[in-house]
Amino acid sequence: IFRTGKWGLSILSLVSLSAATVPECTRLQQHGKLAEAQACYTSLANSRDTYTRAEGFWGLERYQDAADQFEVAAGEQKNNANIRVRWGRLYLERFDKAEAGKHFQEALQIDDKNAAAYLGLALVASDGFSIKAVEYAQKAIGLNPKLVEAQELLAFLALEDNDFEKAAKEADKAIAMSPEALDGMAVRASIDWLNDKPGTEWTNRILKINPVYGDAYATGGHFFFINRRYEEGIKMYRKALELNPRLWDAKAQLGVNLMRLGQDVEAYQQLEDCFKNHYTSSEVVNSLRLLDTYTHLVTFKTSNTVLRLDKKEADVLRPYIEPELQRVIATYEKKYKMKLKAPVQLDVYSNHSDLEIRTVGMPGLGGILGVTFTAPATNVVAMDSPSSRPPGSFHWASTLWHEMSHVFVLTETLNRVPRWFTEGLAVYEETAAAPDWGDRLDLEALTAIEKKKLLPIERLDRGFMRPEYPTQVLVSYFQGGQICTFIAEKWGYGKLLDMIHSYAALKPTPDVIRQDLGLAPEEFDKQFLAWIEARTKIQVEHLAEWRKGVKEIIDAQTVEKWDDVLAKGNAIRDWYPDYVEHGSVYEALAQAYEAKGEKAAARAQLEKYSSVGGRNSVTIKKLATLEEEAGHKDKAEAALTRLNFIYPQDEELHRRLGGLLLARNSVDGAIREYQAVVALKPIDPAAAHYSLARALNMAKRTEEARDEVILALEAAPGYKPAQQLLLELSK
């Protein structure tokens, strides 16, 4: 968005040419004289000079030809850093960002003071919201104080951080450097748009210089998108294309944003138009491929929901996901005291990379579980299917409640809410739904608390948008959730609702804290940090010892020294009770107790493991077995029911749970579980159909029961239990 068409502001500093033809083409482009610019680029493309031809082909949108010529030129002029910079900018704009970064690094190996190369690295970093973007841009300005594009980028980055004052100052610096700093003016216009000032003076100034500069509106579209104001962003991209229909990046972003809101037909049209015109960015190609897979989805509609599932797993998932979606809507309508104006569309992806593409147009966000796109008349949630991740690593119901909190909060505030608050409240709601659902205090957050890395509340959004260390986004989710927990405990849940309404009134966080909580932000930070440090005091103080102890437990398990496991495990378990990931102390203790024949003690450890959120399906099924053996069938049922919210694609789970439900005459539940067994295409289909037939018969659904018995006998004609049941049903 930021880069399209901006390759000439400092072209004279980039390339030494005997003639000024390249800058002339750039000036024509800069002033919106597109026909003249095309003629100019055609002249360049016919040049005898390889580099000049590359620039000409680029201007004519012959991207592969341009790339080929840059490669030849770089070989001809091995010590020319600027050629590698331009080659990198082409790759950044049209091909591959990682490859672009390599070209910029190669340029710096030739000339370590090349400002344009640092600008290129800044643009690459900005694409991933890296803190390095600011560092590189500042480095570029330091090396070349007249590099307007680097100054514009600093304004752009400040506005991404929602620092309007800083963004305006940085943009004004760029405009002072050049009266034609169109991107600096676009940042200024975007500030007005974000503040609901559509009639901004900056568009007049921009269009006076370049009457077809749709890039300014594309910049506005970008800022609306990252602030989750999707419909406004779409309008901006449409306006950009009205001015210049060949802004392919804007067209690609329009297509991607339409796809996000579930407008798949037009999204495909826009993206296909990009592809046909040789704009084949990762976002375009991946999004088109994703849309092509939608033929494998099946849709289920109710009065207020639209559920889209992969055909191959719809029969298993729908009986669990659809009722849970209905339950969360009903719960939040009461809790948030509002009703949604449009149905909720929930798309569940069996391939995790498809969710990534749906989210950002390309793979790479490995940690994402779900995403919400809301607009006044649209509520779309996309999330992973349990099958897209290893069993036990993903709690789909918790993710659903998290994303649905976003739907309500974003709708109520018209998407005018800080990221930290909506994410923090969603994290809070996960645990509020069920104590074992929410994320535990993980090692990343514990380390951040130990090293005093939590951010002040006024700067917490920056932890999401511009992380300063690799795990800061995860830590910021945790901190946001804990802040909401702190507020609910100290002031009551009603204060969180008050804050929602304050954000809906467009009040900034400092004012919200002062008005709704009666504290200065600095005092709030002081009280929150004291609260969180008190809650985690034992964990922080014993973290190093706990790590050492876990290693000793693993070593003892390896050689089956069960007494050592018990001694060390019982000593350290409560130093970090939230840890339920792989190799948890609870599981080690349970294994040791069972090896010594102490099943009651083993069961107690696994009950604790489950209650604090342990999700390993093998471990939970082991707990269910121990509960059954102890005669606690209700607890066994509860343990297995938990797994339906974690990994329902488990034949054994449904078979065992169906049996427990049928034994206590919970017939509807048993039918659901046995239907899941059948849908999973079990190794023993005869037994599966027979069990379902029994449950249907108990529910007096005789015809359906007879159909299932016949299916059982088709799978195994000599299966006597099915033969007997068929005789009974025939009477």
Side-chain angles (χ1 to χ4, degrees):
I1 297 166
F2 183 76
R3 276 75 84 179
T4 305
K6 325 286 196 304
W7 20 282
L9 293 179
S10 55
I11 192 72
L12 286 171
S13 66
L14 288 174
V15 197
S16 296
L17 294 173
S18 59
T21 53
V22 174
E24 179 61 27
C25 294
T26 303
R27 279 193 293 271
L28 290 168
Q29 187 86 6
Q30 178 81 355
H31 288 88
K33 297 178 180 180
L34 302 185
E36 295 93 330
Q38 289 295 292
C40 187
Y41 284 122
T42 300
S43 176
L44 295 185
N46 291 319
S47 171
R48 293 183 178 182
D49 178 69
T50 309
Y51 166 74
T52 305
R53 285 200 301 275
E55 292 284 359
F57 286 139
W58 188 356
L60 295 173
E61 300 181 3
R62 292 170 58 180
Y63 308 120
Q64 189 57 57
D65 289 336
D68 293 341
Q69 292 299 303
F70 274 124
E71 184 174 10
V72 174
E76 291 173 346
Q77 302 183 51
K78 298 185 186 301
N79 295 322
N80 190 327
N82 294 319
I83 287 177
R84 281 168 173 77
V85 170
R86 297 296 293 153
W87 192 8
R89 292 297 293 268
L90 171 66
Y91 264 79
L92 180 62
E93 184 179 312
R94 301 301 184 201
F95 294 108
D96 182 86
K97 295 176 178 63
E99 194 66 27
K102 291 179 183 178
H103 292 314
F104 299 136
Q105 293 288 359
E106 289 170 357
L108 289 172
Q109 289 172 9
I110 298 169
D111 175 10
D112 63 0
K113 297 187 184 303
N114 191 298
Y118 278 109
L119 172 60
L121 290 176
L123 291 169
V124 172
S126 74
D127 195 70
F129 298 98
S130 169
I131 190 67
K132 283 284 189 181
V134 178
E135 177 185 325
Y136 286 136
Q138 290 173 338
K139 179 74 170 178
I141 283 288
L143 290 168
N144 181 359
K146 295 182 179 180
L147 190 54
V148 178
E149 193 177 1
Q151 185 59 54
E152 290 176 309
L153 179 58
L154 286 172
F156 185 90
L157 296 172
L159 190 51
E160 282 191 332
D161 290 338
N162 282 319
D163 190 334
F164 287 17
E165 183 178 353
K166 184 178 180 181
K169 288 180 179 178
E170 298 287 11
D172 288 346
K173 289 179 185 178
I175 296 165
M177 292 163 66
S178 168
E180 295 187 354
L182 296 179
D183 291 332
M185 297 179 196
V187 169
R188 271 303 212 154
S190 296
I191 293 172
D192 287 344
W193 289 326
L194 290 170
N195 284 315
D196 300 314
K197 298 176 182 177
T200 175
E201 64 176 292
W202 295 101
T203 52
N204 293 332
R205 291 181 61 172
I206 291 167
L207 297 178
K208 187 175 181 180
I209 297 167
N210 184 338
V212 295
Y213 201 70
D215 307 69
Y217 288 96
T219 297
H222 170 78
F223 287 112
F224 277 125
F225 160 65
I226 66 171
N227 284 281
R228 294 157 304 194
R229 293 165 65 176
Y230 304 110
E231 283 195 347
E232 291 164 287
I234 286 172
K235 290 177 182 177
M236 282 285 166
Y237 288 124
R238 292 194 193 282
K239 180 64 175 177
L241 292 167
E242 285 176 14
L243 292 175
N244 185 352
R246 299 192 70 80
L247 288 178
W248 300 114
D249 189 61
K251 183 175 278 286
Q253 292 303 322
L254 173 59
V256 168
N257 278 282
L258 288 166
M259 183 177 71
R260 289 179 177 125
L261 291 183
Q263 299 176 39
D264 298 334
V265 174
E266 188 187 354
Y268 195 92
Q269 292 170 349
Q270 298 289 350
L271 293 165
E272 189 176 38
D273 194 24
C274 290
F275 189 86
K276 287 179 177 178
N277 282 277
H278 311 293
Y279 186 78
T280 55
S281 68
S282 297
E283 285 181 306
V284 169
V285 173
N286 289 333
S287 297
L288 284 172
R289 286 174 178 167
L290 175 59
L291 288 167
D292 284 339
T293 69
Y294 282 5
T295 56
H296 301 298
L297 298 179
V298 59
T299 301
F300 305 96
K301 293 184 179 182
T302 70
S303 61
N304 61 348
T305 64
V306 178
L307 177 61
R308 296 204 299 181
L309 300 168
D310 192 311
K311 290 177 183 177
K312 66 187 179 188
E313 58 183 24
D315 289 344
V316 176
L317 294 181
R318 183 191 178 193
Y320 303 98
I321 293 180
E322 192 170 72
E324 195 63 23
L325 180 56
Q326 296 278 359
R327 186 168 81 95
V328 68
I329 291 172
T331 300
Y332 282 157
E333 283 181 347
K334 293 178 181 178
K335 200 167 191 180
Y336 293 125
K337 301 177 182 179
M338 61 170 288
K339 282 187 174 291
L340 299 175
K341 296 179 180 179
V344 175
Q345 177 177 315
L346 174 61
D347 295 345
V348 182
Y349 291 103
S350 59
N351 187 330
H352 175 67
S353 64
D354 288 347
L355 175 65
E356 293 177 317
I357 294 165
R358 176 67 181 274
T359 304
V360 294
M362 64 186 68
L365 292 181
I368 196 168
L369 302 174
V371 64
T372 299
F373 303 109
T374 65
T378 307
N379 302 307
V380 178
V381 174
M383 59 181 274
D384 273 330
S385 164
S387 65
S388 70
R389 290 179 173 270
S393 65
F394 172 50
H395 196 297
W396 67 262
S398 180
T399 298
L400 177 60
W401 282 68
H402 179 110
E403 298 303 329
M404 286 302 302
S405 173
H406 289 328
V407 170
F408 279 81
V409 173
L410 293 175
T411 298
E412 181 68 10
T413 62
L414 294 177
N415 299 57
R416 315 297 183 86
V417 61
R419 193 171 299 272
W420 79 262
F421 182 77
T422 185
E423 293 295 355
L425 185 55
V427 169
Y428 170 86
E429 296 290 16
E430 292 179 58
T431 304
D436 61 284
W437 280 18
D439 289 337
R440 306 296 98 191
L441 172 64
D442 57 30
L443 285 168
E444 291 82 4
L446 189 54
T447 301
I449 294 169
E450 179 187 32
K451 296 184 176 180
K452 311 293 185 184
K453 286 188 173 183
L454 298 186
L455 292 170
I457 195 166
E458 285 190 71
R459 292 178 48 221
L460 187 50
D461 260 15
R462 191 173 174 84
F464 292 93
M465 293 298 296
R466 199 81 62 195
E468 297 181 9
Y469 55 91
T471 60
Q472 190 170 28
V473 173
L474 294 175
V475 171
S476 299
Y477 272 94
F478 169 81
Q479 185 179 348
Q482 289 299 299
I483 285 175
C484 290
T485 300
F486 172 59
I487 292 170
E489 287 187 7
K490 184 174 176 65
W491 287 278
Y493 184 82
K495 285 296 182 183
L496 293 171
L497 298 182
D498 291 343
M499 292 174 73
I500 292 173
H501 297 140
S502 294
Y503 283 125
L506 306 184
K507 294 181 179 176
T509 290
D511 292 351
V512 171
I513 298 299
R514 291 188 185 96
Q515 173 186 297
D516 294 328
L517 304 182
L519 294 176
E522 298 78 11
E523 177 61 24
F524 178 87
D525 290 332
K526 181 180 176 181
Q527 291 190 20
F528 169 70
L529 287 175
W531 176 82
I532 194 70
E533 286 171 1
R535 285 169 68 97
T536 58
K537 184 174 185 293
I538 292 174
Q539 292 95 318
V540 170
E541 288 180 349
H542 293 284
L543 183 57
E545 294 174 88
W546 178 85
R547 289 180 187 272
K548 182 174 178 288
V550 168
K551 185 179 183 305
E552 291 174 3
I553 289 172
I554 293 171
D555 292 341
Q557 281 180 291
T558 302
V559 294
E560 299 184 356
K561 291 186 177 181
W562 304 121
D563 288 336
D564 290 351
V565 172
L566 294 175
K568 179 58 67 174
N570 283 309
I572 74 168
R573 189 197 74 176
D574 294 336
W575 287 349
Y576 189 180
D578 270 13
Y579 187 79
V580 289
E581 304 306 320
H582 178 70
S584 75
V585 177
Y586 299 107
E587 292 172 285
L589 287 170
Q591 183 187 22
Y593 279 125
E594 190 169 19
K596 291 173 66 67
E598 300 178 37
K599 290 190 174 183
R603 188 175 72 250
Q605 294 298 325
L606 295 186
E607 286 176 343
K608 182 66 174 174
Y609 167 84
S610 180
S611 71
V612 296
R615 296 172 182 174
N616 185 299
S617 58
V618 174
T619 302
I620 299 299
K621 285 190 287 187
K622 179 65 179 178
L623 170 60
T625 297
L626 292 172
E627 299 287 15
E628 277 195 87
E629 290 176 353
H632 303 155
K633 293 188 176 182
D634 56 336
K635 291 184 177 180
E637 180 185 320
L640 293 173
T641 298
R642 278 196 72 229
L643 284 183
N644 272 332
F645 295 108
I646 299 169
Y647 192 75
Q649 285 101 329
D650 184 330
E651 177 193 339
E652 179 192 356
L653 156 67
H654 297 295
R655 180 167 40 78
R656 291 178 61 182
L657 183 54
L660 289 168
L661 291 167
L662 200 61
R664 70 174 182 84
N665 207 33
S666 180
V667 180
D668 290 341
I671 290 171
R672 181 193 63 223
E673 298 306 314
Y674 287 134
Q675 285 174 332
V677 175
V678 170
L680 286 166
K681 297 179 172 52
I683 295 174
D684 187 353
H689 286 291
Y690 168 72
S691 295
L692 177 54
R694 285 183 60 217
L696 289 166
N697 187 38
M698 290 179 65
K700 303 188 183 308
R701 293 161 61 176
T702 306
E703 291 302 318
E704 294 173 77
R706 184 179 291 109
D707 291 341
E708 293 299 326
V709 170
I710 291 171
L711 289 171
L713 290 172
E714 286 177 354
Y719 190 43
K720 291 185 178 180
Q723 292 174 343
Q724 181 61 39
L725 182 55
L726 182 59
L727 287 173
E728 294 176 14
L729 291 169
S730 300
K731 293 179 181 178

